Structure formats: C-alpha cells, structure tokens
Amino acid sequence: MEQQTQQQIEDGGNNQAAETNNRWAPTPPQLRILKGLYYDKGFKYPTPEQIQEICLHLKQYGQIEDKNVFFWFQNLKARERQKLKEFRNVPVGGSLDLNFGSTSSTSTDRSIDLNFGSRVGYGADGSIMEQRGEYHQEIETLPLFPMHGEDILGNMKTTSEGGSGYGGGSRISLELSLNSYGDADMA
Amino acid sequence: MEQQTQQQIEDGGNNQAAETNNRWAPTPPQLRILKGLYYDKGFKYPTPEQIQEICLHLKQYGQIEDKNVFFWFQNLKARERQKLKEFRNVPVGGSLDLNFGSTSSTSTDRSIDLNFGSRVGYGADGSIMEQRGEYHQEIETLPLFPMHGEDILGNMKTTSEGGSGYGGGSRISLELSLNSYGDADMA
DNA sequence: TCGCTATGAATGAATG
DNA sequence: CATTCATTCATAGCGA
C-alpha cells in the first residue's frame, strides 16, 4: 500500500528521537464527550458541519482537529463492525451444520465499494473539504452541545458555509444537556 | 492516551484459561502453525473468514480467539516492516540475521499462488525496495489446513481433533469478546 | 530485584 | 465503509 506516504518519518540516517508527537490522543474529557455522542446518543454519522461543531467544542479540552473527530467516528464504527464480524457467533440455531457443499456461502461477501456519496477530504493542513453527498443518518439537526458550555461562545460560528446551500439554515447548536450520561468513570 | 489504561480490558468473553493471565500467549503448536502460514505459505493477509478458520483450527492447541490471530498477523507484518526500515539506517556493519530460513513447505497442499498482485513497496530513499507477489485474498476458500492434522510444516503430529470441517461459509461458533468502552482517565 | 527485550493489544491515520 | 499501516502502550519472560 501507499500509506507510507503519510508522513516523512525517515530522517535520512539521523534519527533524532525528538519527534513531535504528531498523533492526536484524545484527552479524557474529549473521550467522554465523543463516547457520549456515539454510544449514549447513538450519534454515528456526523456530517462535516457537525464534525466541525464537535471539534470546536472539544477544543477547550485539548488540541484537536476536524480530521481527528472524523477519524474517530470512522474507526469506532469500523471496529464495532469488525468485531461483529470476527467474533460473530455463527447462528447455529439448533442445527449442527456440517453439510458444507450444499449451502453456498452468501454471507462471506465483502463490501463491493457501493456508491457511497459523501466523502470528506482533507487538505494538507487539515482543512475540511466537503463534497456533498447524501448522509444516511436519521437525525437532521442533532443538538450536539449546549451553547453555554464554557467558553465556546466567542468562537462559535454558525456553521454556515457559503456554498453548501443544502437546506436552509443548518445550525446545529441547540439546547440539550450532554453530561447526562454517567459512563466513563468506573471509580 | 488511553492505552495506558488498557490493563485487562477485554475479558468479555469466557476466559477459562485462568492459569495464564489475560494476555494470550501462543502455545508452541499454535505458533508453529501460524509461522508456517506466514513464512512458508506467504499467507499474510487473512480475511476475517480465514481468521476464523485459522482460529478454529488452533483452538485444539489451546485457548485462542479471533482477535489473537488477527493481532498476530498484524504485529508480525508491522514488525518485519519496521525491521526493514530500521536496518536501512542503523550503522550496523555486520549482518544481523533475519532467520527466515523456512524453506520446507508446501508438501501436500494444492498450490495457491495466485501471483497477480505486485505491491510496490515504499522507497523511503526513492527506490522501489520490494516487490513481492502477494497472495492477496482473491481466493474464496483457501485451503488453509488441507488436512485435519497439521501438515503445514511437514511434520505430522498425531493430532486427533474433532474433525470439524471448514465450509465455504464460515459457520463457526466462537465466543464473543468485546471490550467495554468504559473509560478511565490516566491517573 | 532491576532493566531489557519480545510481543500482545490498542488505536490513530490513511487508502481504496 | 473495509482494510491496512504505523505507532504506542503494557506486560510476560529472562538475564545480570
């Protein structure tokens, strides 16, 4: 694969171990919020606008970029699905099936790259470049965060990109308390 | 990060291997089979279905889960790549032996060399370094274990197992093991 | 007992 | 969305 072009790791012989830790690591508050969104609210398909919204909110708990949020959701979804696949308890269902050969395997398909419309690209600086597609999510304006958190008021943008004119007025911030769930602390 | 708190996260399944603690350790037969697959057969990219197949086969030699097989392959691939990358710059004048000397193989197995894909490696210094014909999974039912004994490395061991067959479809009963998402902060 | 090494496990990042 | 790479954490095993 060509993932090796992700960044220039090689120093040309002089491995200076002072690599700036370029990999984002979620801080505990960030993780708590993200997990709350995913598990508690079932929020799994954030739009790019919502990603920005989430990211903006999480910035007060540590450095974070849009793509981190994007990848976080992608990875979590992928790994949950992967676990369902790998640890799949085969539905023996009372029938001890050792009669292979007759029943063809229809469940062994891998995804055939179905035409997935929305694809979000990122520039070199991490800037989001959304290409509008269709989002298969069931929520339209999920109230992600209350506007009165800590200090996001000054930087709050109305998530109104000039040009992404799909559906007028895509504001995301509404009133809803997020810290209602009580996970993330097994004290 | 949260890896610091990854002490014994996965215990969701039924770990009855209580003598060895949470972390899986391959038994010698398991390790022999895995290495045989990897080195002798060049089998490095198992699909989830094949992982289940391997895991099911290895279960007779000790407790093992799908994720163990999955991680085993992932780690082995990653660390070989890492070694190759390090040896490029390390001022080692001598020759550190990469003992991959496993040449005896493929005795009673139908050949599975679908030499079609050529992965061009990443030349960190601008040169193509390796081009190994991958047996990338295009095969439907790879005969991972041609017989129900281990014959991969050429030595036959009197292994009497239940004769569990591998069908085209993966209908194998596995135990479920998921890690809880309960977070804990880093001290 | 302490330090090192090998390696299982986890996850961010990326590609297709 | 599936798959893979890269990096890191954590720990068992071992030697001094």
Side-chain angles (χ1 to χ4, degrees), chain A residues 92-99:
Chain A
V92 280
S95 63
L96 214 25
D97 47 323
L98 289 179
N99 50 355

Side-chain angles (χ1 to χ4, degrees), chain B residues 34-45:
Chain B
L34 286 170
K35 283 185 176 177
L37 283 171
Y38 188 90
Y39 292 115
D40 292 337
K41 300 189 146 241
F43 189 67
K44 303 184 180 180
Y45 296 91

Side-chain angles (χ1 to χ4, degrees), chain A residues 74-145:
Chain A
Q74 286 294 112
N75 280 319
L76 195 51
K77 276 185 296 184
R79 293 197 163 118
E80 291 219 325
R81 181 164 289 205
Q82 184 188 56
K83 280 177 171 52
L84 285 177
K85 180 179 291 183
E86 290 190 2
F87 306 140
R88 174 169 45 194
N89 272 334
V90 220
V92 280
S95 63
L96 214 25
D97 47 323
L98 289 179
N99 50 355
F100 26 82
S102 57
T103 58
S104 61
S105 65
T106 56
S107 62
T108 57
D109 60 335
R110 67 175 64 233
S111 74
I112 322 140
D113 191 82
L114 46 98
N115 195 353
F116 185 66
S118 82
R119 174 93 168 111
V120 197
Y122 291 95
D125 55 346
S127 62
I128 218 170
M129 299 182 299
E130 58 170 311
Q131 309 171 6
R132 283 229 50 85
E134 56 176 325
Y135 307 100
H136 33 248
Q137 73 176 11
E138 47 280 338
I139 41 99
E140 62 274 20
T141 56
L142 185 75
L144 294 175
F145 303 108

